[in-house]
């Protein structure tokens, strides 16, 4: 079975970079890697996705390992508003295989 | 802005009741999804639909059914609600498969007593 694993929680200081890891042990060569985040009392929202090379957008950067078995979401300068649960997933046959999520705690 | 609207934020039902959760999207997306979210388990896919009247089982379809009669609307049905179906239910839509960005509703927190 496809499997995506993430740490349960991470802490970071405000205005410092944050690196959130994800393992995609069974991802195939054509599956995109996605990251979403969920703020309290809201549905998840898209952050970033990529296939093989690193990706950047206004919210974050995505670093994908050469073997694609792991990825890292990078928040370059965390703010209190970035406190959320971050989900990674690999897509497979219409489905996203989601991890259980990492709760990111930002300390002022 | 893409909008995915779930009909209720909170719902309380009794064991054995038939429950309908409704989801509407306004972006003409082909694909729609129903997830269940429980603490420590993340998002688990119940059913998805890639076209009108088409549906596919996800990871945990038991006890649920779905209906998609119109492109913009995807309904989740609990034929006979049970207490272990107490959960947060999230609907999402996307333009193309799972490699397209998924847009989520705010969720429906269902309590079955």
């Amino acid at each position: 079975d496809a499997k995506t694993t993430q740490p349960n929680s991470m802490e970071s200081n405000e205005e410092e970079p944050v690196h959130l890891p994800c393992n995609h042990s069974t991802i195939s060569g054509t599956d995109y890697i996605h990251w979403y985040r969920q703020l309290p009392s809201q549905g998840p929202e898209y952050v970033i996705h990529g296939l093989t090379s690193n990706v950047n957008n206004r919210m974050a950067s995505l670093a994908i390992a050469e073997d694609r078995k792991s990825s890292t979401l990078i928040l370059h300068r965390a703010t209190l508003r970035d406190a959320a649960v971050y989900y990674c997933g690999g897509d497979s046959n219409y489905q996203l295989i989601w991890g259980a999520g990492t709760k990111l705690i930002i300390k002022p | 802005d893409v909008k995915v609207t779930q009909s209720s934020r909170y719902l309380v039902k009794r064991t054995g009741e038939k429950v309908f959760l409704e989801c509407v999207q306004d972006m003409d997306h082909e694909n729609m999804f129903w997830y269940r979210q429980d603490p420590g388990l993340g998002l688990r896919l119940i059913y998805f639909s890639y076209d009108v009247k088409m549906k596919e089982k996800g990871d945990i379809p038991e006890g649920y059914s779905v209906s998609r009669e119109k492109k913009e609307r995807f309904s989740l049905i609990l034929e006979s609600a049970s207490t272990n179906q107490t959960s947060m239910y999230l609907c999402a839509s996307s333009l193309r498969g799972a490699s397209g960005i998924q847009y989520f509703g705010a969720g429906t927190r269902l309590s079955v007593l």
Side-chain angles (χ1 to χ4, degrees), chain A residues 16-81:
Chain A
E16 289 187 359
V18 180
H19 291 235
L20 295 163
C22 181
N23 286 320
H24 315 269
S25 60
T26 57
I27 198 166
S28 75
T30 57
D31 294 349
Y32 278 80
I33 293 167
H34 294 249
W35 282 84
Y36 287 73
R37 72 178 185 182
Q38 187 173 23
L39 300 169
S41 302
Q42 295 185 26
E45 63 176 352
Y46 168 80
V47 176
I48 199 166
H49 75 298
L51 186 59
T52 54
S53 55
N54 297 342
V55 183
N56 300 293
N57 67 19
R58 63 174 180 82
M59 290 179 73
S61 295
L62 175 60
I64 300 172
E66 200 169 326
D67 65 2
R68 294 186 10 94
K69 298 302 183 186
S70 65
S71 67
T72 302
L73 179 71
I74 302 164
L75 307 178
H76 294 285
R77 199 161 162 264
T79 70
L80 295 176
R81 287 176 299 177

Side-chain angles (χ1 to χ4, degrees), chain B residues 69-98:
Chain B
E69 296 297 316
K70 293 185 177 180
K71 192 174 186 179
E72 67 270 20
R73 188 179 297 270
F74 192 35
S75 302
L76 180 69
I77 303 154
L78 288 66
E79 294 288 343
S80 179
S82 63
T83 55
N84 63 12
Q85 292 179 309
T86 291
S87 187
M88 171 68 83
Y89 291 89
L90 289 160
C91 174
S93 71
S94 74
L95 190 55
R96 52 177 171 82

